[in-house]
Amino acid sequence: MNREEKSATIQEIAAQIEASEAIFAVDYKGISVPQAAELRTRLRESDASFRIVKNRLSKIAADKAGEERLNELLKGPTALTFVRGDTAQAAKTISSFSKEHNVLAFKGGFMEGLILDEDRFRAIALLPGREVLIGQFAGVVASPLTGLVRGLGSMIQGLASQLGQIADQGLVSGEAPKAEEPAATEEPAAEEPAAAEEPQEDAPAAEEAPAEEPDAEVAQAEDAAVGADETSEDTTSNDDASKEEE
């Protein structure tokens, strides 16, 4: 590895240190190339990478990234696992792989501000993965929401049922005229014109009084005629008497 290649490697390791949420240091002694390839593949599922580099280059990269805690772990055969995603899942993968192949002794590490020894590493490996935790948290949050949704659904169904019953009874409908049915009960008021017309039937009776007036006039005329006849008779009798006297 020439100077340019070493410089590029140092830059890559420094960038990985800065981007990692956790770093695990393990003793890779005894691991084969196929096993290392298998481990890298399994670690990709948790967004982690497994890298074997010379301690001297790793120290330079740690100094460049400002991570002095890493220098204490770079003794003997050391491979670094850079975790950018699910720390618990990455720890679980390394722990299970170590048990399967009897390799990868844990040397130490850190997770943000927390320094990890072997006991803490095992405790992290026993935690559920991030996806499982998210699912559990979503279930806890969704439980009261589910109850609320069910309650609202029941209330809406009950309201719809009541409205349906009211509509069946004719109290609520889409037809405006039916809503004015009480006006139909006011039919007796419509009969008032008939009662008002009754005086019109009696009107002729009221007019009969004036009709009798001509009878009085006729009687007066007849009396006048009788009087005239009597006067004429008296006149005639007087004329006859005068003639007789002559």
Side-chain angles (χ1 to χ4, degrees):
M1 182 181 293
N2 57 33
R3 181 176 296 179
E4 293 180 356
E5 291 175 347
K6 290 180 181 180
S7 178
T9 301
I10 291 170
Q11 294 292 338
E12 290 177 3
I13 297 173
Q16 287 179 315
I17 293 172
E18 292 175 352
S20 298
E21 295 183 1
I23 297 177
F24 306 143
V26 296
D27 187 344
Y28 66 88
K29 184 173 56 179
I31 190 172
S32 64
V33 174
Q35 288 174 346
E38 179 186 354
L39 179 60
R40 289 189 180 95
T41 301
R42 292 169 64 175
L43 284 172
R44 289 194 189 99
E45 296 178 0
S46 54
D47 195 11
S49 60
F50 181 78
R51 186 161 192 169
I52 299 174
V53 294
K54 293 182 178 181
N55 292 341
R56 186 172 62 85
L57 298 179
S58 296
K59 288 180 180 180
I60 296 173
D63 293 339
K64 188 176 183 64
E67 186 54 74
E68 298 177 355
R69 294 176 297 176
L70 188 60
N71 293 333
E72 299 178 0
L73 305 175
L74 297 173
K75 298 176 181 178
T78 305
L80 299 176
T81 300
F82 301 102
V83 184
R84 295 175 297 277
D86 193 340
T87 302
Q89 184 62 35
K92 194 185 300 293
T93 300
I94 293 175
S95 180
S96 60
F97 189 87
S98 178
K99 292 178 181 178
E100 292 173 6
H101 301 283
N102 197 23
V103 292
L104 301 180
F106 184 77
K107 299 177 68 173
F110 50 89
M111 182 176 63
E112 296 182 354
L114 180 64
I115 297 176
L116 303 177
D117 56 12
E118 188 172 359
D119 292 337
R120 288 177 177 175
F121 176 77
R122 290 177 180 176
I124 293 174
L126 295 175
L127 293 174
R130 179 176 296 179
E131 293 183 358
V132 176
L133 289 174
I134 292 174
Q136 292 176 351
F137 178 75
V140 171
V141 173
S143 295
L145 292 178
T146 302
L148 177 61
V149 171
R150 290 177 180 175
L152 291 175
S154 299
M155 292 175 62
I156 293 172
Q157 290 179 357
L159 179 60
S161 177
Q162 292 178 0
L163 290 176
Q165 293 176 2
I166 294 173
D168 293 340
Q169 294 175 2
L171 299 179
V172 176
S173 64
E175 300 178 359
K178 292 184 178 180
E180 298 179 355
E181 287 182 358
T185 59
E186 297 179 359
E187 290 180 357
E191 296 177 356
E192 293 180 359
E197 291 176 358
E198 291 179 359
Q200 294 179 359
E201 296 178 358
D202 298 338
E207 292 176 357
E208 289 178 359
E212 294 176 355
E213 293 179 356
D215 293 339
E217 294 177 354
V218 170
Q220 293 176 359
E222 290 177 353
D223 292 341
V226 171
D229 291 338
E230 292 177 353
T231 303
S232 61
E233 289 178 358
D234 292 339
T235 304
T236 304
S237 60
N238 291 331
D239 291 337
D240 292 338
S242 60
K243 286 179 180 181
E244 290 177 359
E245 290 178 357
E246 292 177 355

